[in-house]
Amino acid sequence: MRRKKHKHTRRAVKFYKIHHGFREPYKVVLDSSFVHALLQANLKEATDLIAGLLGGQVRLFTTQCAMRELKTLGKDYADTYKACKKIQLYTCGHDDKAQPTTDCLQSLVGEENAGHFFVGTQDKQLRTAISKVPAGASMFVSVNGLHLEQPSAKQEKVINQAAEDQQGLQASDLKAQVLKEVVDAQRRAKPNINTSIYRHNKAKGPNPMAFKKKKRKEGQRTPAEEAVVGEPKEKRARKRRKSSQNQDATKAD
């Protein structure tokens, strides 16, 4: 059972590292309920326990809102308050008006968990809300020790969808690259080849058959007809050339 738990935990940590960029030292934000549960289970070395769970170095934080809330819980949480004072405070930005711890941690995670926080809390509703964030990660304490929440179905769906989109983009890029290589090869083989995929019809001139001939007025002649009908030109007198036999006979006389 313990081996199966560690296997699932390693798989979850790997999921957050590969797909969301979580890096050591891991940042872990704890609320008062988580620290109180550790004390109740006699798990006092929180840093070592969480580092063993995540398989790497960690940095523990708590918020000002959590410390203010602890002060209002009375003597039953005095030891929890002392334990939280040893944890580094993280500036949550609620200095003017304190927020409930659940709202404070949820706002710290936000819609993307850009800070790459693991959230330690016993509040199940808060863990459910964090599991709806694509990079949300949370942990809790039970009688069997620490447990890391497994990635939710929604988180895995987001990753799978992103992977499918990436594969589709790679396929389209590959197709475009192959087409470009084919076109380049055709250009090298025949420099004057038209390699355009879609040929657009060029604008042509007007159809000469579409124009009607001008109608002549009655009695009107064309310039060619006027040249034929006009006054006859004087014919040039043709000189008859004597043959060579007549020239020889004339010389004999």
Side-chain angles (χ1 to χ4, degrees):
M1 185 70 180
R2 181 175 295 179
R3 181 178 299 177
K4 187 176 181 180
K5 170 192 169 185
H6 291 331
K7 181 179 180 181
H8 290 173
T9 301
R10 289 195 302 270
R11 185 179 298 172
V13 174
K14 186 177 180 180
F15 174 86
Y16 294 118
K17 288 176 64 176
I18 294 176
H19 298 296
H20 298 292
F22 282 55
R23 294 290 181 269
E24 295 184 40
Y26 302 117
K27 293 184 288 185
V28 185
V29 183
L30 310 178
D31 67 355
S32 57
S33 66
F34 186 88
V35 178
H36 186 72
L38 286 175
L39 296 177
Q40 292 294 316
N42 293 323
L43 303 174
K44 297 182 180 180
E45 298 296 332
T47 303
D48 295 339
L49 290 171
I50 297 174
L53 177 69
L54 300 180
Q57 297 180 356
V58 297
R59 294 179 61 188
L60 303 186
F61 299 95
T62 189
T63 64
Q64 297 174 348
C65 295
M67 296 298 294
R68 292 172 184 173
E69 188 177 76
L70 271 173
K71 289 182 179 180
T72 63
L73 297 178
K75 296 180 180 180
D76 294 338
Y77 284 82
D79 294 338
T80 305
Y81 182 76
K82 292 179 182 180
C84 286
K85 285 186 70 175
K86 299 177 183 180
I87 302 174
Q88 183 178 351
L89 279 178
Y90 189 87
T91 304
C92 59
H94 302 141
D95 298 334
D96 298 336
K97 185 177 180 181
Q99 300 288 331
T101 304
T102 54
D103 295 344
C104 176
L105 295 181
Q106 196 166 352
S107 65
L108 188 64
V109 172
E111 296 181 356
E112 298 180 354
N113 194 15
H116 301 155
F117 292 106
F118 288 95
V119 179
T121 180
Q122 298 299 103
D123 191 332
K124 191 172 182 179
Q125 291 183 351
L126 178 58
R127 295 202 306 269
T128 302
I130 292 173
S131 68
K132 295 179 181 179
V133 178
S138 62
M139 61 182 66
F140 62 96
V141 181
S142 72
V143 293
N144 295 322
L146 296 180
H147 300 271
L148 180 65
E149 288 280 6
Q150 296 298 306
S152 64
K154 182 177 181 180
Q155 291 173 330
E156 292 182 350
K157 183 179 179 180
V158 171
I159 296 301
N160 293 335
Q161 184 64 40
E164 290 177 1
D165 294 342
Q166 184 67 20
Q167 289 177 357
L169 183 61
Q170 291 177 353
S172 62
D173 292 343
L174 180 61
K175 185 177 180 180
Q177 183 179 358
V178 171
L179 181 61
K180 184 177 181 299
E181 291 177 356
V182 172
V183 170
D184 293 340
Q186 291 178 349
R187 285 177 177 173
R188 288 192 296 269
K190 298 180 180 180
N192 297 328
I193 190 172
N194 185 7
T195 56
S196 60
I197 299 176
Y198 300 102
R199 296 185 179 182
H200 301 280
N201 294 330
K202 297 182 180 179
K204 298 180 180 179
N207 186 1
M209 301 299 294
F211 292 95
K212 294 182 178 180
K213 295 182 179 180
K214 294 182 179 180
K215 294 182 179 181
R216 291 187 297 177
K217 295 181 180 180
E218 189 175 355
Q220 186 178 3
R221 296 176 180 175
T222 62
E225 292 175 345
E226 289 180 355
V228 174
V229 178
E231 296 180 357
K233 296 181 180 180
E234 294 181 356
K235 293 184 178 181
R236 187 176 58 180
R238 294 180 63 185
K239 293 181 179 181
R240 189 173 182 179
R241 189 175 179 180
K242 295 181 179 180
S243 62
S244 57
Q245 295 179 356
N246 292 337
Q247 290 180 1
D248 293 339
T250 305
K251 288 181 181 181
D253 293 339

